Amino acid sequence: MESKEKYRVPVSQKPHVVEKPRDINTIGGTVTIEINEKKVSVPMGTTILEACRENQIHIPTLCHHDDLCVAGVCRVCVVEVEGMRTLQASCTFPITAPVKIHTSTPMVRKARRHIIDLLLSEHYGECYSCFRNQNCELQKLAKEYGVDQYNFGHLEKPRYETDRSSASVIRDMNKCILCKRCVRTCIDLQEVGVLEAINRGHETHIGTFFDKPLSDVICINCGQCINRCPTAALRANDPSDELWEAIENPKKHVVIQTAPSPRAGIGEEFGLEPGHSMTGELNTALRRIGFDRVFDTNFTADLTIMEEGTELLNRLKKAVLLGDESVKLPQFTSCSPGWVKFIEHFYPEFLGYLSTAKSPQQMFGAVIKTFYAKESGIDPADIVSVALMPCSAKKFECNRPEMRASGYKDVDYGLTTRELAQMIKEAGIYLPEMPKSHFDEPFGDASGAGLIFGATGGVMEAALRTVYELVTGREVPFKNLNIVPCRGFEGIKQASVMLEGCKDEYSFLEGIELKFIVAHGTANAKKVMEMLRKGELKDVHFVEIMACPGGCLGGGGQPIPTSEEIRKKRAEAIYAEDESLSLRKSHENPYVKYIYENFLTEGPCSELSHHLLHTHYQKRGKFIA
Amino acid sequence: MKPNGNKYAVRQGAVLFSEYAPGSGIKKALEIGRENILLELRESKLKGRGGAGFPTATKWMLVAAAKSEEKFIVCNADEGEPGTFKDRVLLLEYPELVFEGMLIAGYTLGARQGIIYLRGEYEYMLKSLESYLEQMKEDNLLGNNILGNPNFNFEIVIRLGSGAYVCGEETALIESLEGNRGEARNRPPYPVNTGYLGRPTVVNNVETLASVPHILVKGGEWFRTFGTDKSTGSKLFSVSGDCERPGVYELPWGTKIKDLLEIVGAKNTKAVQVGGASGSCIPKSQFERTLAYEDAATGGSIMIFNESRNMLKILKNFMEFFVEESCGQCTPCRVGNVKLLEGIEKIERGVYTFGHLNKLKELGRTMQVASKCGLGQSSPNAFLSILENFKEEIFNKNGYGGHNGK
Amino acid sequence: MLVLEKNSLTEEVESLVEFYGTERSALLPILQAVQRKHKYVSDFVQQEIARLLDIHPVEVYSVVSFYAFLHSEPQGRNIVRLCQTIACDLAGKEAVARAVERELGITFGQTTKDKRITLEYANCLGMCDQGPAMIVNDRVYTHLTPEKAINILNEIK
């Protein structure tokens, strides 16, 4: 019997079993079929949907998502297959014989129209009062199929109460069409397992354990469900109303820090193809909206590298030089708040492996309401600190009770890429037309190392650029500083760098092969943690984990839709910008040097930096009270 | 012959209720060997008795041909179709036939495990079935080296359902066995390749399996002497509703509805629902029709309605059933059944329009072709056939004429 | 919940898991065993089952909520299910239902105050030739009349 792993996923999440041939040139590797009377040859096992897409035939879909395995539940993709009594869902049907397919017969069109009509009859609310207006897959299909009336009625009252309990994710099941993409995302893609279909028949809805509020279950706030929801059933908790008020309030000094990933994604909200970096334009737009200062989160990303890198070197020193066996290695990164909550819930016994360094967002928050407030003579009580993030979990993170090192809430609001795009539009600004401008001082410059935090492997790459140089005095031995083994979207990447010719103070590391692992998506994080539990990571030193597939650029606050292709383009934009910069190593950032010379004078991992830039974690566990 | 559950009749029939010596089927099977078993089955032209009518020999041959270390024989005893209770009778009175059918399947296909998926409503049978299985073990009909044949090992376990009609659909049943919600799978792949735990699996109805020992002992050719060309053998009919002698009857396929009504003592019959809630409603004018896969097909349910019955109320009961029993995963079935039920309620209140009803009929036809599994594909049958065949009664005679609401 | 009670429930689930195994396919038999004994599967027990089977609690809850005979909320000591499908309906289910409701002072879907009986409708029990029919726990009663049904219910404790 195959491993249990294979069967623990509900069937709607199971991929169909027909395996595609490795080599389509072998006999029986391809099959010739007819689509709408046109002969085409496809690899054996291709689904009808894939075959149609290959041949420029558009098939409508709702439950299908390229990131997820098939469900076959919405039925909107049905087609006629000759010889079969019923219509077949093209997303699930594996081609293994020379079938003849018709994608646009009267029966097919009528069925699709009926299915859209049925979904609309249960879909509460009107399009013009919906945040997904013009970016809704159901709405798009309704238009495509010429829906001009409600053929089977329309709900007059909501059936479900909206769940606003979570700091990050709002669930409005009145807009849900039961495509189960969120379920497949939560259980299969992320292995968090918060959402499932509850009840049956017409009473079916997507719910949590005992239908408890989202804040009471083990949601990690990654927001991946939001990114894959075809309608407005899932959305992030939007603070923009309060933000507008703060901006209009002359007493408030509103500063915003912007993370690297939103810049690589926000163009999509303005109709641009994925992969346009909008850093300069965004800075101008933010100022025009009325933010008093625009800072670059990459600055504290550089600071994170200094703190986290130093912490790693300290751990290595204790372990290697002093032989202290209680030292927890490998050290895990802690920048991703979804990942942090994941480990708090699922692996609380391993929290000691997590770097105590705060995420760049929270470091910036602490610095703004202390160092910046002091330097610029502003009462921190009057500062409203906003973080533009690709992330829904950042909203939860800034509300953690631990995150008040400045004596105030260090970061007041986490704002997602989508929400800022909405604000920009409301302000009457078309982002791509904005002139470019630079970030504000005193944190104006940041390195490319900070920038690449946005992609999976970026933190690792940035850390290696610094750690290697601190230890050996030489640049990391990769062409153009591009540490290629850290890059790409493979779920779990392992690589190593040999430490040779170490400086005297790091001579204890001489000849050590620095091993590291990069993983993204919490399903992969789980695999890494199981390796740790089994003692398989004993010779690994550093692990980077990002909760979201692709890293922050695929975060739960990024523009919708998402797919691997889109995420790749965003990554390309980020890496290209890194390579265009002259400053590419965190420790060379002059402002980082400045802050250690003038504020955190004891250096990284000192008492003050621990107070402001480090944190502690909660053993949350899995039990749902 | 065994007494028929009610006081009116004794069980008699050509095949299932004919004389049978327990153990003779499996002995014959071992004697003639795997290949000949399949050939005999093919000769008999036995089709699945659950209602869909897939040729049993073909199903078995597909599983026989599938390469896998492990295969499963699943007996579908999730008899949930309204008006069907023949499996209850078979399991209570003829367990030897059912178990032996599974055993023969296990031997033929090289499976080591058989599973009976017994509907939760039949939990009261559990004890008697289990003690029968114990007896079979003692008789070396189950366990290892069955009847002294090395390498013929087979066990049967009973698994209970928990109140879900949809689990009668074979892939939903497999899902339920695997510990999931009873939601039908995408097909293809089919259970014969990818069934329980991803292994090749035969899912057969109780009655299908019970027919197998008779066919082996008496021959496929003998079996074909009953019934019609396309529907061979006999069938158990569960007869309920307005008649003097409700119960289970074994009659050859091809029996006229009219003749069945006569046998069970039905008078003033207005309509017969053939095939349960998911079947279709046949009016008096069509009682000459025959019960057969090629005509009025049924998994066995025959419900008789006399002149005093209100067809709209009957239809409403059916649709309420489907609204509750739809698994809810696919759109046409989850929402469609609710819309059809709402349409019926509108007729009841006299607030319908024919335009809307026509839309609902179209919707019903979409549900038949676009739903994911047999439940949604057949749930509109009653709606479509009753509104069509009894429109005179519903819209004129009963006063649901639309102006005064009743 | 008292700690002691929790421990005994945990032990109970552990012994069930030991008997049925930790495969996902063991889930329904385990749930059915708990349901049979306690008449419902509490949130604590569902989480214990999830923990031991290494699945997510919401998956257990999802399965429980799917099946009509599994409950997440406490029920009466006896669960009475009256068949509401067509054959029983034609045979006089309605009169039985009304009489039973009147006698117990509850409607379908409710539990008596003394927790003695939970009243539910069921879909086709497979007793269409002998309707109206009902199941009390796992025992079937057929050919019901209002009087007969009430006598049966008054007998159970």
Side-chain angles (χ1 to χ4, degrees):
Chain A
M1 187 167 301
E2 274 118 300
S3 70
K4 182 178 174 192
E5 195 67 20
K6 193 171 171 191
Y7 295 112
R8 59 174 301 287
V9 180
V11 77
S12 58
Q13 282 92 284
K14 277 179 214 163
H16 54 74
V17 185
V18 178
E19 276 177 31
K20 294 182 187 178
R22 293 221 181 87
D23 180 6
I24 57 165
N25 296 319
T26 57
I27 296 169
T30 59
V31 56
T32 302
I33 58 167
E34 269 182 38
I35 308 179
N36 301 340
E37 264 101 55
K38 185 186 154 207
K39 277 205 162 81
V40 295
S41 182
V42 296
M44 197 80 152
T46 306
T47 64
I48 293 178
L49 179 64
E50 288 164 342
C52 288
R53 284 182 176 177
E54 281 289 306
N55 290 282
Q56 291 77 46
I57 293 164
H58 173 67
I59 305 274
T61 53
L62 278 173
C63 67
H64 179 85
H65 193 284
D66 285 342
D67 284 341
L68 307 171
C69 25
V70 296
V73 295
C74 76
R75 313 303 289 175
V76 83
C77 70
V78 287
V79 295
E80 249 183 89
V81 178
E82 274 185 30
M84 304 208 77
R85 190 175 50 87
T86 57
L87 301 178
Q88 299 297 314
S90 60
C91 66
T92 73
F93 194 100
I95 296 166
T96 55
V99 286
K100 292 179 181 171
I101 297 156
H102 303 276
T103 67
S104 179
T105 65
M107 196 202 274
V108 166
R109 285 196 304 273
K110 186 166 279 176
R112 289 178 184 166
R113 172 69 196 264
H114 271 139
I115 286 159
I116 297 162
D117 278 338
L118 289 177
L119 289 172
L120 289 175
S121 79
E122 303 257 290
H123 189 75
Y124 175 73
E126 299 292 345
C127 288
Y128 43 77
S129 57
C130 177
F131 89 103
R132 288 289 294 269
N133 193 359
Q134 298 189 12
N135 184 17
C136 167
E137 296 179 42
L138 181 62
Q139 185 190 41
K140 191 167 152 257
L141 276 190
K143 181 165 164 46
E144 240 174 70
Y145 281 79
V147 174
D148 53 3
Q149 60 172 323
Y150 294 118
N151 273 322
F152 300 112
H154 192 52
L155 284 182
E156 278 159 23
K157 277 185 285 183
R159 288 177 75 196
Y160 304 99
E161 209 172 301
T162 303
D163 180 358
R164 298 175 188 278
S165 64
S166 158
S168 295
V169 182
I170 294 177
R171 296 176 63 243
D172 178 5
M173 289 303 101
N174 298 300
K175 305 253 192 246
C176 176
I177 58 167
L178 288 165
C179 68
K180 291 199 191 172
R181 282 190 196 169
C182 57
V183 174
R184 283 174 283 156
T185 302
C186 197
I187 292 185
D188 201 27
L189 191 72
Q190 292 291 72
E191 290 206 26
V192 173
V194 163
L195 300 175
E196 241 296 12
I198 307 300
N199 292 342
R200 76 171 182 221
H202 192 236
E203 300 304 311
T204 310
H205 62 272
I206 305 301
T208 58
F209 184 64
F210 273 72
D211 287 305
K212 287 174 193 278
L214 202 56
S215 58
D216 292 3
V217 297
I218 48 177
C219 174
I220 63 165
N221 305 309
C222 67
Q224 289 303 305
C225 52
I226 302 175
N227 286 6
R228 288 168 184 78
C229 181
T231 69
L234 292 159
R235 64 182 300 185
N237 203 342
D238 184 355
S240 53
D241 285 347
E242 288 168 60
L243 210 48
W244 281 119
E245 260 180 55
I247 288 170
E248 297 307 322
N249 185 341
K251 282 187 198 144
K252 295 291 181 191
H253 182 74
V254 187
V255 303
I256 187 164
Q257 50 163 315
T258 74
S261 291
R263 302 168 205 165
I266 197 163
E268 296 161 37
E269 290 281 345
F270 293 88
L272 302 187
E273 284 296 307
H276 281 83
S277 213
M278 312 284 297
T279 315
E281 294 88 339
L282 193 57
N283 289 341
T284 311
L286 288 167
R287 288 196 187 90
R288 291 205 186 169
I289 284 178
F291 286 97
D292 295 303
R293 289 286 182 279
V294 182
F295 295 136
D296 188 350
T297 307
N298 297 354
F299 162 71
T300 38
D302 286 336
L303 206 54
T304 300
I305 290 301
M306 297 307 293
E307 294 293 330
E308 206 166 334
T310 306
E311 184 185 355
L312 176 65
L313 289 172
N314 287 345
R315 289 193 193 208
L316 286 171
K317 188 173 182 182
K318 272 192 206 157
V320 179
L321 188 62
L322 309 175
D324 183 349
E325 287 181 5
S326 70
V327 173
K328 302 278 191 277
L329 280 171
Q331 176 178 308
F332 282 71
T333 61
S334 58
C335 316
S336 165
W339 150 241
V340 168
K341 195 151 181 267
F342 184 86
I343 185 173
E344 285 179 333
H345 279 302
F346 293 96
Y347 296 95
E349 65 273 36
F350 295 113
L351 279 172
Y353 291 83
L354 208 52
S355 163
T356 57
K358 283 180 185 171
S359 68
Q361 161 178 299
Q362 291 307 132
M363 283 198 184
F364 221 136
V367 168
I368 284 169
K369 290 201 180 175
T370 54
F371 177 67
Y372 169 74
K374 203 168 119 197
E375 291 249 313
S376 49
I378 302 169
D379 182 353
D382 290 332
I383 296 178
V384 175
S385 175
V386 184
L388 171 64
M389 292 286 147
C391 182
S392 52
K394 290 282 174 193
K395 295 170 188 286
F396 176 86
E397 186 186 31
C398 75
N399 280 306
R400 278 176 178 256
E402 304 92 275
M403 298 300 176
R404 304 179 75 95
S406 62
Y408 302 89
K409 200 177 160 193
D410 292 337
V411 172
D412 293 287
Y413 301 109
L415 189 69
T416 65
T417 312
R418 294 189 298 267
E419 289 152 3
L420 178 70
Q422 178 63 33
M423 290 179 76
I424 292 175
K425 286 176 194 165
E426 276 177 52
I429 296 167
Y430 179 62
L431 185 65
E433 286 173 347
M434 284 293 103
K436 294 181 183 187
S437 63
H438 202 68
F439 290 101
D440 283 314
E441 303 296 338
F443 314 111
D445 265 323
S447 75
L451 185 75
I452 57 174
F453 264 53
T456 168
V459 178
M460 183 62 68
E461 182 166 348
L464 288 175
R465 286 182 193 171
T466 289
V467 168
Y468 189 88
E469 199 163 327
L470 287 182
V471 170
T472 66
R474 300 186 309 276
E475 281 194 345
V476 72
F478 287 91
K479 197 183 167 203
N480 288 339
L481 294 176
N482 295 336
I483 309 180
V484 181
C486 290
R487 301 185 180 184
F489 284 167
E490 203 185 316
I492 299 174
K493 299 181 285 268
Q494 286 202 49
S496 62
V497 184
M498 194 58 118
L499 296 176
E500 282 167 325
C502 295
K503 288 201 254 177
D504 284 350
E505 65 260 48
Y506 293 110
S507 59
F508 62 92
L509 291 174
E510 184 66 35
I512 282 187
E513 192 184 2
L514 193 67
K515 285 194 177 168
F516 53 90
I517 288 179
V518 173
H520 59 122
T522 43
N524 291 316
K526 189 178 170 182
K527 288 187 190 119
V528 173
M529 292 312 289
E530 289 302 326
M531 287 156 76
L532 177 66
R533 194 201 289 284
K534 286 182 201 138
E536 292 167 8
L537 300 185
K538 286 216 166 74
D539 58 347
V540 178
H541 303 100
F542 197 22
V543 179
E544 179 207 296
I545 291 186
M546 292 293 155
C548 295
C552 303
L553 53 84
Q558 288 284 70
I560 301 168
T562 185
S563 69
E564 180 144 322
E565 201 180 321
I566 291 172
R567 296 193 291 273
K568 265 188 188 143
K569 287 191 179 147
R570 291 177 191 159
E572 281 164 17
I574 285 175
Y575 285 121
E577 198 174 340
D578 165 45
E579 204 151 1
S580 75
L581 295 173
S582 52
L583 180 60
R584 298 186 59 203
K585 293 176 266 182
S586 299
H587 55 280
E588 288 179 355
N589 182 335
Y591 297 89
V592 167
K593 288 181 185 163
Y594 179 81
I595 202 170
Y596 282 119
E597 278 158 17
N598 295 293
F599 183 57
L600 304 163
T601 47
E602 310 266 301
C605 293
S606 65
E607 201 184 321
L608 181 60
S609 91
H610 257 285
H611 172 64
L612 287 178
L613 307 182
H614 290 252
T615 184
H616 58 274
Y617 306 105
Q618 296 179 24
K619 285 190 175 180
R620 291 179 197 268
K622 280 198 281 190
F623 187 74
I624 303 164
Chain B
M1 275 187 263
K2 301 188 183 186
N4 190 348
N6 62 47
K7 58 191 173 191
Y8 302 104
V10 288
R11 300 224 182 279
Q12 47 185 326
V15 179
L16 287 163
F17 292 161
S18 68
E19 291 298 327
Y20 179 78
S24 55
I26 182 64
K27 278 173 199 148
K28 184 72 184 285
L30 292 168
E31 195 184 302
I32 64 175
R34 296 185 168 88
E35 215 150 297
N36 288 323
I37 297 170
L38 292 173
L39 291 176
E40 204 66 61
L41 263 189
R42 195 168 68 182
E43 181 71 27
S44 75
K45 291 190 180 171
L46 174 67
K47 288 181 180 177
R49 272 12 185 179
F54 190 81
T56 306
T58 311
K59 196 183 263 188
W60 284 28
M61 283 171 183
L62 286 168
V63 172
K67 282 180 194 138
S68 173
E69 288 163 28
E70 204 172 18
K71 296 175 184 180
F72 293 100
I73 310 297
V74 174
C75 170
N76 184 346
D78 192 53
E79 180 178 52
E81 188 62 52
T84 314
F85 44 89
K86 62 181 178 69
D87 295 347
R88 181 193 85 208
V89 168
L90 283 175
L91 290 165
L92 281 176
E93 299 172 25
Y94 301 85
E96 69 275 11
L97 286 178
V98 183
F99 292 147
E100 237 174 274
M102 292 177 76
L103 193 54
I104 293 166
Y107 171 71
T108 313
L109 308 175
R112 286 185 300 272
Q113 198 184 68
I115 304 167
I116 297 186
Y117 187 89
L118 185 69
R119 66 189 306 229
E121 290 83 345
Y122 288 173
E123 191 177 348
Y124 61 88
M125 294 181 192
L126 200 54
K127 270 190 190 143
S128 73
L129 292 177
E130 274 174 348
S131 69
Y132 199 90
L133 287 176
E134 277 307 312
Q135 187 57 48
M136 284 177 74
K137 267 182 217 160
E138 274 174 36
D139 298 344
N140 194 215
L141 284 167
L142 285 176
N144 291 339
N145 306 330
I146 290 168
L147 294 177
N149 280 263
N151 304 326
F152 179 24
N153 309 329
F154 194 72
E155 55 162 4
I156 294 178
V157 296
I158 303 174
R159 294 277 303 270
L160 279 172
S162 263
Y165 163 77
V166 68
C167 290
E169 200 278 343
E170 60 176 359
T171 60
L173 185 153
I174 291 171
E175 278 299 295
S176 182
L177 281 179
E178 288 185 7
N180 299 323
R181 298 162 63 85
E183 294 179 347
R185 293 179 175 179
N186 295 306
R187 295 141 49 107
Y190 299 95
V192 287
N193 291 313
T194 310
Y196 181 54
L197 302 182
R199 301 298 186 169
T201 303
V202 159
V203 183
N204 276 152
N205 181 265
V206 171
E207 188 182 345
T208 313
L209 287 165
S211 307
V212 172
H214 280 292
I215 290 171
L216 286 199
V217 171
K218 296 164 194 165
E221 213 182 311
W222 163 81
F223 186 79
R224 272 198 291 120
T225 59
F226 310 102
T228 70
D229 266 2
K230 284 180 178 160
S231 311
T232 56
S234 64
K235 177 80 185 93
L236 297 191
F237 294 100
S238 316
V239 181
S240 63
D242 298 319
C243 63
E244 283 171 13
R245 296 178 290 277
V248 174
Y249 292 83
E250 181 175 1
L251 298 170
W253 279 119
T255 301
K256 282 183 180 168
I257 293 172
K258 185 185 74 179
D259 297 336
L260 182 138
L261 292 175
E262 175 108 16
I263 292 169
V264 303
K267 295 200 177 75
N268 298 323
T269 305
K270 171 163 72 179
V272 177
Q273 180 77 18
V274 177
S278 65
S280 55
C281 196
I282 294 179
K284 199 173 187 172
S285 57
Q286 297 175 22
F287 284 176
E288 285 289 325
R289 285 174 67 182
T290 58
L291 297 162
Y293 291 111
E294 62 272 25
D295 189 358
T298 172
S301 171
I302 303 285
M303 293 189 278
I304 302 167
F305 309 126
N306 69 20
E307 292 291 351
S308 73
R309 302 299 182 181
N310 180 330
M311 295 311 290
L312 194 71
K313 283 196 172 147
I314 289 167
L315 175 57
K316 190 179 173 191
N317 186 293
F318 287 154
M319 291 317 300
E320 283 169 342
F321 174 82
F322 286 121
V323 166
E324 277 188 27
E325 294 296 343
S326 163
C327 83
Q329 64 166 329
C330 81
T331 314
C333 180
R334 178 184 68 244
V335 193
N337 282 311
V338 173
K339 297 300 162 193
L340 299 188
L341 178 59
E342 282 171 6
I344 294 162
E345 285 163 351
K346 279 187 178 162
I347 300 173
E348 266 190 330
R349 296 202 310 275
V351 295
Y352 64 93
T353 63
F354 282 106
H356 185 62
L357 288 183
N358 286 337
K359 275 187 194 173
L360 290 179
K361 284 184 194 166
E362 296 259 296
L363 174 64
R365 285 188 274 274
T366 286
M367 290 165 66
Q368 287 176 326
V369 294
S371 295
K372 186 168 178 176
C373 81
L375 193 159
Q377 288 163 9
S378 60
S379 64
N381 292 352
F383 183 89
L384 294 171
S385 64
I386 290 181
L387 282 194
E388 179 58 33
N389 293 333
F390 300 92
K391 53 189 165 200
E392 175 66 20
E393 172 194 323
I394 290 169
F395 297 110
N396 298 331
K397 215 168 95 195
N398 278 352
Y400 296 127
H403 36 268
N404 58 350
K406 186 178 169 182
Chain C
M1 202 186 295
L2 293 169
V3 175
L4 270 178
E5 196 184 337
K6 269 193 177 180
N7 287 343
S8 81
L9 282 172
T10 300
E11 272 173 28
E12 200 180 314
V13 175
E14 278 169 354
S15 69
L16 284 170
V17 170
E18 201 167 312
F19 184 76
Y20 290 108
T22 56
E23 298 293 319
R24 171 92 190 220
S25 55
L27 179 58
L28 266 180
I30 292 169
L31 289 171
Q32 286 161 347
V34 175
Q35 170 73 35
R36 205 171 292 134
K37 183 168 169 195
H38 298 278
K39 306 293 172 193
Y40 82 115
V41 191
S42 69
D43 60 343
F44 176 76
V45 171
Q46 289 192 26
Q47 290 193 65
E48 286 298 89
I49 294 171
R51 178 174 65 83
L52 292 163
L53 262 51
D54 190 24
I55 54 179
H56 302 292
V58 73
E59 295 180 87
V60 179
Y61 180 59
S62 172
V63 167
V64 171
S65 72
F66 183 88
Y67 293 96
F69 289 2
L70 299 175
H71 295 277
S72 289
E73 302 297 332
Q75 308 291 309
R77 292 190 298 280
N78 301 281
I79 298 181
V80 173
R81 298 189 172 96
L82 179 67
C83 177
Q84 62 175 351
T85 308
I86 191 70
C88 289
D89 190 60
L90 298 182
K93 163 223 101 186
E94 204 55 32
V96 175
R98 296 293 86 79
V100 167
E101 282 184 335
R102 202 167 51 236
E103 190 72 12
L104 297 176
I106 53 171
T107 57
F108 280 83
Q110 294 182 327
T111 301
T112 56
K113 267 192 193 144
D114 58 3
K115 303 271 176 243
R116 194 169 64 93
I117 287 174
T118 295
L119 202 53
E120 280 179 1
Y121 278 124
N123 285 327
C124 193
L125 296 175
M127 287 292 165
C128 318
D129 52 339
Q130 299 164 40
M134 71 175 178
I135 291 187
V136 178
N137 300 321
D138 64 353
R139 215 177 137 189
V140 189
Y141 297 88
T142 57
H143 294 301
L144 293 177
T145 60
E147 192 191 358
K148 189 175 167 190
I150 285 165
N151 285 341
I152 293 164
L153 295 189
N154 285 340
E155 296 262 308
I156 60 178
K157 288 183 183 123

